[in-house]
Amino acid sequence: MKIELSQYRENEDGSADFHVDMDKESTHSLINFALVTLLAKAVKEGTLYTPDAEEEEDVNYFYDEDEDIEYYYVEDDDAWYYYDEDEDDWFIVEEEEENGTVWLTLEEEEELEDAFFVDELKSCLINTYNNPYLIHQEDIDNSIHVRNACKTLLRHYMIPSEADDYLDKVAATYEC
């Protein structure tokens, strides 16, 4: 691993400016460390959360008991979303049906962003298995935490059955 500081310049206010050069392995390790730290902080802060006893009713939320469908209005988008339990995701309401209900699909750009994010999560997951520089137990533990976080996020951002199939294949390949 290579991490070098260059072009170091101290400022009058006591701060400093410098340039950091890192190889790919160093960048990967730094990102893994940052991700684990953020996840640990989120878990710690999550234990401190105590919801208010009386929550206000959300005027943008609607539950259709007859159809057993949840709807949510997003003011910024000026659009209604419905929740699809099979897909475990929210979708924009688009085409009008006989009863006046309108259904939409997500924009292609949003789908591409999700696909890119899923690809990055898959890459990060594979890298947790292929890192030859994991010597210390703390590094190994951090890598396992990152691996588990990637699995959880993949299950969230992918279709559940596809995520399970992918994770089973990864486990069969790397967890001997």
Side-chain angles (χ1 to χ4, degrees), residues 13-171:
D13 64 357
S15 65
D17 297 323
F18 54 87
H19 181 77
V20 180
D21 291 314
M22 292 189 286
D23 60 8
K24 196 172 188 176
E25 298 161 48
S26 300
T27 303
H28 175 73
S29 294
L30 183 62
I31 290 172
N32 279 346
F33 175 76
L35 182 60
V36 168
T37 302
L38 287 173
L39 291 173
K41 184 178 179 183
V43 168
K44 183 178 178 184
E45 288 176 1
T47 59
L48 301 176
Y49 175 74
T50 53
D52 297 333
E54 293 183 33
E55 293 185 19
E56 280 187 38
E57 182 179 355
D58 190 350
V59 295
N60 293 331
Y61 177 80
F62 173 74
Y63 176 70
D64 185 347
E65 293 179 9
D66 297 332
E67 297 292 327
D68 190 28
I69 298 176
E70 295 177 272
Y71 293 92
Y72 194 81
Y73 180 73
V74 178
E75 294 175 9
D76 292 341
D77 296 344
D78 191 27
W80 281 93
Y81 289 74
Y82 72 98
Y83 184 73
D84 186 342
E85 289 183 2
D86 296 332
E87 294 290 336
D88 193 27
D89 206 353
W90 290 88
F91 297 93
I92 298 174
V93 176
E94 184 180 65
E95 65 186 59
E96 193 164 333
E97 292 184 13
E98 297 172 7
N99 63 1
T101 304
V102 179
W103 303 100
L104 277 183
T105 58
L106 288 176
E107 298 291 327
E108 186 175 320
E109 185 177 298
E110 292 171 337
E111 291 175 10
L112 291 174
E113 289 172 2
D114 283 350
F116 176 75
F117 185 63
V118 166
D119 289 343
E120 290 299 310
L121 284 172
K122 287 179 177 180
S123 176
C124 183
L125 176 66
I126 299 302
N127 288 336
T128 64
Y129 290 103
N130 289 336
N131 191 343
Y133 298 101
L134 297 177
I135 299 170
H136 299 81
Q137 187 59 44
E138 182 180 352
D139 294 336
I140 294 169
D141 292 341
N142 285 341
S143 182
I144 291 170
H145 290 300
V146 169
R147 181 180 307 151
N148 291 335
C150 288
K151 289 178 181 180
T152 300
L153 290 169
L154 284 169
R155 286 187 185 104
H156 177 76
Y157 283 99
M158 292 177 70
I159 296 171
S161 60
E162 290 178 7
D164 290 339
D165 290 344
Y166 175 77
L167 293 173
D168 289 344
K169 289 176 185 175
V170 170

